Amino acid sequence: MPWWYFEKEELKNTPSRKDNVEFDTERRYRREATNFIKECGNLMGLGYSTIHTAIVYLHRFYMFHSFRTFPRYVTACSCLFLAGKVEETPKKCRDIIKKASTILTSQKMMSFGEDPKEEVVTMERILLKTIKFDLQIDHPYRFLIEYAKCLKSNGNTPKEQVVQKAWNFINDSLETTLCLQWEPEIIAVSMMYLACKISKYDVVDWKGRVPDHQKWWDMFVKDMTKNILEDICHQVLDLYQNPKGKSEAPDSPPQLPPSKASLIKASPPPQKRAKLQQSPVMNPKVAVNHIPVKVSSNEYDMAKVPHPPYGYPSTSYQQPPPPAYLVQSAVPPPLPAHSNIHHKPPLPPASNYPTNNNIPPLPPSRYPAANIASNQFYQLPPTNNYSHKNNRSNHYHQPYQ
Amino acid sequence: MSQQPPQQSRQEASQPAPAQMSSGYATLEQRLKYISEYNFPFCDESAKYEKVAKIGQGTFGEVFKARSKSDNKFVAMKRVLMENEKEGFPITALREIRILQLLKHENVVNLIEICRTKANKNNKYKSIFYLVFDFCEHDLAGLLSNVNVKFSLGEIKKVMKQLLNGLFFIHSNKILHRDMKAANVLITKTGILKLADFGLARAISISKNGQPNRYTNRVVTLWYRPPELLLGDRNYGAPVDMWGAGCIMAEMWTRSPIMQGSTEQQQLTLCAQLCGSFTPDVWPGLEKLELYHKMELPQNHKRKVKERLRPYVKDPSAVDLLDQLLILNPDKRINADDALSHDFFWTDPMPSDLTKMLSQLTQSNFEFLAPPRRSNQMMHRYQQQTTSQVPPRPQDNSYQDRVY
């Protein structure tokens, strides 16, 4: 079994880096490709599991090839094409390309060459060879649901709100390389932890608690330290910052026309940003809810940049009040009625990523509850040892220093 | 399964430098060169194996026996046919791969890896992919067509026990095989049975919002196709494989498939002649099946499973198990778990090892290489309405491989 998890050193030393693509540029490429997959997948009515699977393929792929060898949007289309088949939600290659051409500028479509379908199909073979036909991807969502069911709090925040938030964080985490660093279980725990913190949802007890358990997640993962947790949370929170570096980041390779990113820079604030400014996220009266951790901003230059007046700043965690979509909604139905928490997660709370700005909110049907059940087909009976995770005695990494 | 490479070696220094201009994307030429030179760390070249013989041919493509150049071990290589695919890598092959990666069990064929040919100008930079399996010396259809192969009762029990074990495993993993037949049951020279060919297999879905599943019912080789599929059921489950298991079990004694219909209608007639007429009494809900009114269902047939099989199968508990496997109503058909608890496997003679019997064979027995099996007398009587046809076999003898 190949090991699909990487040390941070490896994540900094990717084929793209060796190919003279700056770290920030690669990160931007990953985010652009990820957001493209999300948008294209949503527009095509694909569920979150197909989209998630496609994005994980993409991240893995670029641990072996450079972004300059394989243009990101072609790869992204291939990932979506393959994930569609793997998750039993197949879409025709032609339709994916058609949809892509409505999302991407015609200049960006140039990277698809004269015969885009042939390009995507050829790319699929390279993708398959690279990812070792490791098609089955576990997603954090189902772990999140499983874990959340056990948690008990005596506060007033409805659990559904917290789970919804955690769900959104998982969606957003796909823009980072977290899926190359940690198993989905760990990401699920971390995003739930983050959502609890932000929602002031104190977990006081949990089903299945034994005296050994210090924290609720001890029940699900071993040796999960605060350091690991918070490192993961920071990587997601960093997304919500307006990175100064972004506007300065080298654009797509020169042969390409100015990307949307640079166009938007000059244009008036996009819709989503405006919405967020209205939201009381930054209301100074909201109590500051410090996550008790030393902020280490060494990993990403982004973190050093003073944050803009929106989003969740990573240096002072302010608790955002429940988003409007939750406040307005009726009393949330109780867990574990799955179907009710699988409605469309709202747009990322503060994603300021330019290419994302024109996405209209999508109908709730995007995330049918049944999809989560489909993952359960592949649960193994206890006799089976199939899982790369079991092969490693030290299951979870040491915290990164 | 290849070992996990050490962390550092994953991006081998030997990889071609992504040679391109200092700015911009690689040109098409540069990319093609890169593709043909890149040493994919997780997908070896098929050249590491040396083809020995062709051992199978079907709609899925060709199967070869091959030898590993590094350790001389034999493998079976199944080529993924992609030539006529409009939608890239076939979804059926993806299913098969995904299912095989999941199903690691002694009685399921082991997928070692997936290989590729080098992409180069000659193949228009399109690799050919092969699924590489552990090699198994025989298939059950080949063994049964070899008159020199004689199974004792204990050996038949061993075969069936392993077959049901394999089915129990795949069904508890929520997978349907959907192509049970003697030719897809492999047996190694040491007597280990392996279920093979998951090309039609799929995961059992939990039906969504109370909607019944709509699987295709155009699965399973006709002679092994269960009555619910013949009647157009699209919300079927594990019992479809159990029917096949029953057909195969009977075949252990009759030595040829027990119901050799040449059309769906005729196959249904054969089922009714053996298992009794289709009536809502024995099968409530029968009338709701799509083809119930379209097919001609012979009336007034008594169930004759036991009496027709008894001349071949002397063991009473064997006849009883067959009787429970060959039940028209899928809900009443015995499942793999219960079948394994049946007296048949727990009374003397107990299941006995196949090694000794197989060691007397000096050559591989594959259906593909075997002469056509004659349909036997007993079953012939019931097939006189139409000429029973043994499916034609390829006449490609250029690869006759007889010695392992």
Side-chain angles (χ1 to χ4, degrees):
Chain A
M1 275 295 183
W3 185 245
W4 293 116
Y5 299 101
F6 298 81
E7 298 299 329
K8 281 198 176 166
E9 212 40 55
E10 294 174 281
L11 291 170
K12 283 179 181 168
N13 199 18
T14 60
S16 297
R17 290 289 296 118
K18 290 173 188 159
D19 197 18
N20 293 324
V21 178
E22 294 296 322
F23 179 77
D24 278 342
T25 311
E26 174 171 355
R27 194 172 40 168
R28 178 166 65 87
Y29 285 170
R30 284 183 189 270
R31 288 178 73 174
E32 283 178 0
T34 300
N35 284 316
F36 166 76
I37 290 175
K38 285 183 187 170
E39 185 176 359
C40 190
N42 284 333
L43 289 175
M44 301 196 75
L46 292 167
Y48 64 87
S49 47
T50 305
I51 292 172
H52 196 126
T53 298
I55 292 170
V56 175
Y57 291 163
L58 181 111
H59 281 303
R60 290 182 180 177
F61 180 84
Y62 283 114
M63 290 310 286
F64 295 93
H65 305 286
S66 158
F67 274 94
R68 293 219 319 220
T69 311
F70 298 109
R72 58 196 177 284
Y73 294 113
V74 180
T75 310
C77 281
S78 293
C79 291
L80 201 54
F81 180 49
L82 179 63
K85 289 188 274 187
V86 169
E87 300 286 344
E88 299 285 346
T89 54
K91 293 287 171 198
K92 287 201 171 115
C93 188
R94 197 189 48 192
D95 295 343
I96 291 176
I97 291 163
K98 217 187 258 173
K99 197 57 77 181
S101 63
T102 66
I103 298 168
L104 300 172
T105 59
S106 56
Q107 285 96 338
K108 276 182 179 157
M109 282 305 290
M110 276 166 65
S111 62
F112 287 75
E114 283 173 8
D115 186 351
K117 192 185 157 206
E118 184 64 21
E119 194 73 17
V120 172
V121 168
T122 305
M123 198 61 211
E124 185 194 32
R125 296 180 196 231
I126 299 165
L127 175 64
L128 281 165
K129 284 189 270 190
T130 305
I131 63 171
K132 200 200 173 260
F133 289 85
D134 248 349
L135 305 165
Q136 173 82 26
I137 307 287
D138 265 345
H139 301 155
Y141 304 109
R142 74 179 171 94
F143 297 110
L144 171 68
I145 303 301
E146 186 189 316
Y147 301 165
K149 276 187 209 166
C150 306
L151 305 186
K152 291 175 193 161
S153 167
N154 48 16
N156 295 327
T157 320
K159 197 196 277 181
E160 292 70 31
Q161 276 184 25
V162 186
V163 174
Q164 178 71 71
K165 246 178 222 164
W167 187 285
N168 297 344
F169 284 134
I170 292 173
N171 285 345
D172 292 346
S173 77
L174 287 168
E175 292 172 39
T176 70
T177 52
L178 274 173
C179 68
L180 297 175
Q181 299 170 41
W182 298 102
E183 294 84 344
E185 294 90 331
I186 307 249
I187 294 177
V189 164
S190 308
M191 296 302 104
M192 188 63 191
Y193 168 83
L194 180 58
C196 289
K197 279 279 172 198
I198 281 177
S199 313
K200 281 200 165 168
Y201 182 88
D202 293 324
V203 177
V204 291
D205 197 13
W206 52 94
K207 250 181 258 166
R209 184 174 192 169
V210 299
D212 278 2
H213 290 159
Q214 303 280 314
K215 298 287 183 188
W216 59 265
W217 54 82
D218 291 339
M219 198 159 79
F220 307 109
V221 295
K222 270 185 227 157
D223 310 325
M224 182 79 167
T225 66
K226 260 251 160 88
N227 281 352
I228 298 177
L229 261 177
E230 278 164 4
D231 173 81
I232 294 171
C233 294
H234 278 292
Q235 291 190 45
V236 174
L237 288 170
D238 284 351
L239 287 171
Y240 307 123
Q241 290 202 306
N242 186 30
K244 197 181 84 192
K246 180 184 287 291
S247 53
E248 290 170 356
D251 205 347
S252 306
Q255 71 187 49
L256 286 181
S259 68
K260 275 187 190 167
S262 57
L263 289 174
I264 282 161
K265 190 174 60 183
S267 60
Q271 211 184 350
K272 194 194 296 172
R273 182 182 297 188
K275 252 189 206 161
L276 283 159
Q277 281 168 340
Q278 285 162 11
S279 86
V281 166
M282 292 304 291
N283 185 336
K285 285 173 191 163
V286 175
V288 173
N289 176 26
H290 278 285
I291 292 181
V293 66
K294 196 180 135 215
V295 178
S296 82
S297 52
N298 301 336
E299 283 307 328
Y300 296 115
D301 296 335
M302 235 162 106
K304 293 175 185 158
V305 176
H307 25 85
Y310 59 86
Y312 304 128
S314 65
T315 43
S316 71
Y317 297 101
Q318 290 179 316
Q319 189 204 337
Y325 67 91
L326 280 175
V327 174
Q328 284 159 8
S329 67
V331 180
L335 282 173
H338 276 198
S339 52
N340 295 311
I341 48 175
H342 293 167
H343 62 73
K344 176 195 96 65
L347 292 166
S351 175
N352 51 9
Y353 191 62
T355 55
N356 227 0
N357 282 323
N358 301 324
I359 314 175
L362 290 147
S365 59
R366 240 200 311 165
Y367 297 108
N371 277 357
I372 225 168
S374 71
N375 279 333
Q376 290 161 6
F377 308 152
Y378 290 95
Q379 278 176 8
L380 299 168
T383 49
N384 192 300
N385 288 327
Y386 170 86
S387 172
H388 57 275
K389 284 171 202 147
N390 297 338
N391 297 341
R392 204 164 68 147
S393 53
N394 176 19
H395 183 173
Y396 301 115
H397 305 215
Q398 289 304 303
Y400 294 120
Q401 296 308 315
Chain B
M1 205 58 72
S2 59
Q3 289 296 307
Q4 180 213 330
Q7 295 275 325
Q8 284 311 313
S9 72
R10 281 190 292 188
Q11 290 145 29
E12 297 275 338
S14 65
Q15 298 294 7
Q20 56 244 176
M21 293 161 293
S22 59
S23 64
Y25 285 124
T27 62
L28 180 64
E29 261 170 45
Q30 286 169 334
R31 203 179 312 148
L32 292 177
K33 183 167 180 286
Y34 175 87
I35 294 167
S36 55
E37 286 174 9
Y38 188 85
N39 185 19
F40 291 90
F42 306 135
C43 191
D44 289 344
E45 275 182 56
S46 56
K48 74 194 252 195
Y49 299 105
E50 189 179 22
K51 277 182 194 169
V52 177
K54 183 169 165 177
I55 51 174
Q57 167 79 56
T59 48
F60 53 84
E62 301 162 312
V63 183
F64 296 93
K65 178 179 179 177
R67 185 191 283 112
S68 162
K69 287 175 183 168
S70 59
D71 60 6
N72 277 333
K73 253 175 64 180
F74 285 114
V75 296
M77 295 172 76
K78 181 171 169 181
R79 182 177 166 167
V80 179
L81 267 190
M82 291 182 65
E83 279 65 26
N84 300 320
E85 278 296 330
K86 286 183 191 149
E87 291 302 318
F89 202 88
I91 190 168
T92 48
L94 289 172
R95 273 189 200 137
E96 182 171 8
I97 290 166
R98 200 164 164 231
I99 287 169
L100 286 164
Q101 285 171 342
L102 167 77
L103 299 176
K104 295 295 175 194
H105 186 266
E106 189 185 31
N107 298 125
V108 173
V109 71
N110 178 39
L111 177 68
I112 302 169
E113 63 179 337
I114 296 149
C115 278
R116 47 148 188 133
T117 58
K118 219 175 169 65
N120 58 34
K121 227 180 218 167
N122 298 334
N123 55 27
K124 293 185 187 163
Y125 298 93
K126 286 177 184 166
S127 298
I128 295 164
F129 290 101
Y130 291 95
L131 275 54
V132 183
F133 298 94
D134 283 340
F135 183 72
C136 298
E137 283 73 14
H138 314 283
D139 71 42
L140 193 55
L143 286 173
L144 290 172
S145 64
N146 182 343
V147 288
N148 298 318
V149 176
K150 296 193 170 62
F151 288 97
S152 70
L153 183 56
E155 286 160 355
I156 290 177
K157 288 185 181 184
K158 185 76 180 179
V159 168
M160 285 311 296
K161 192 174 178 183
Q162 294 185 76
L163 186 139
L164 291 166
N165 241 330
L167 279 180
F168 174 70
F169 175 77
I170 69 168
H171 290 165
S172 43
N173 276 287
K174 305 267 192 284
I175 302 287
L176 303 178
H177 185 283
R178 303 203 300 182
D179 198 14
M180 289 297 291
K181 58 176 173 179
N184 284 343
V185 175
L186 308 183
I187 295 180
T188 68
K189 64 179 173 191
T190 53
I192 308 299
L193 177 145
K194 312 265 183 193
L195 298 177
D197 196 349
F198 286 75
L200 288 176
R202 68 158 292 151
I204 302 169
S205 324
I206 298 164
S207 54
K208 290 168 188 167
N209 322 318
Q211 291 284 313
N213 292 309
R214 303 234 347 131
Y215 305 141
T216 173
N217 49 38
R218 299 181 62 88
V219 287
V220 190
T221 306
L222 187 58
W223 296 349
Y224 298 83
R225 200 176 297 166
E228 65 267 30
L229 289 182
L230 292 166
L231 287 173
D233 191 359
R234 301 192 65 169
N235 190 22
Y236 50 84
V240 298
D241 291 337
M242 300 311 295
W243 178 270
C247 296
I248 293 170
M249 179 169 170
E251 214 172 317
M252 295 300 297
W253 285 277
T254 64
R255 307 290 290 212
S256 67
I258 55 168
M259 287 177 280
Q260 306 184 8
S262 51
T263 61
E264 270 109 340
Q265 176 60 61
Q266 199 198 351
Q267 192 68 28
L268 262 180
T269 309
L270 292 171
C271 289
Q273 285 168 350
L274 182 66
C275 305
S277 294
F278 291 74
T279 63
D281 286 349
V282 299
W283 187 347
L286 168 71
E287 63 282 354
K288 289 187 195 116
L289 294 177
E290 254 168 68
L291 299 179
Y292 175 70
H293 294 291
K294 291 186 183 146
M295 301 298 255
E296 194 184 311
L297 295 173
Q299 294 304 307
N300 304 320
H301 279 285
K302 275 193 186 142
R303 187 170 168 83
K304 304 184 198 82
V305 175
K306 286 191 172 177
E307 67 185 64
R308 281 185 53 201
L309 287 170
R310 235 177 242 131
Y312 297 87
V313 190
K314 308 293 182 206
D315 183 71
S317 62
V319 176
D320 187 72
L321 178 54
L322 278 163
D323 191 45
Q324 296 192 51
L325 285 165
L326 297 172
I327 287 178
L328 294 178
N329 182 353
D331 297 333
K332 299 218 177 108
R333 209 171 294 149
I334 194 169
N335 64 31
D337 193 14
D338 293 339
L340 284 166
S341 308
H342 192 275
D343 279 352
F344 179 60
F345 299 109
W346 306 99
T347 47
D348 282 330
M350 290 296 279
S352 60
D353 207 73
L354 301 166
T355 321
K356 200 175 151 213
M357 184 269 281
L358 293 170
S359 67
Q360 293 162 6
L361 298 172
T362 52
Q363 50 192 345
S364 270
N365 289 270
F366 290 114
E367 187 190 39
F368 174 70
L369 303 167
R373 280 187 283 173
R374 244 172 6 94
S375 61
N376 63 54
Q377 285 257 283
M378 163 243 182
M379 293 303 159
H380 215 70
R381 268 204 350 253
Y382 291 86
Q383 287 157 2
Q384 278 162 358
Q385 306 98 316
T386 57
T387 47
S388 102
Q389 294 285 319
V390 178
R393 278 165 231 286
Q395 293 304 304
D396 179 0
N397 295 324
S398 54
Y399 285 102
Q400 289 293 334
D401 169 55
R402 293 262 121 192
V403 182
Y404 57 81

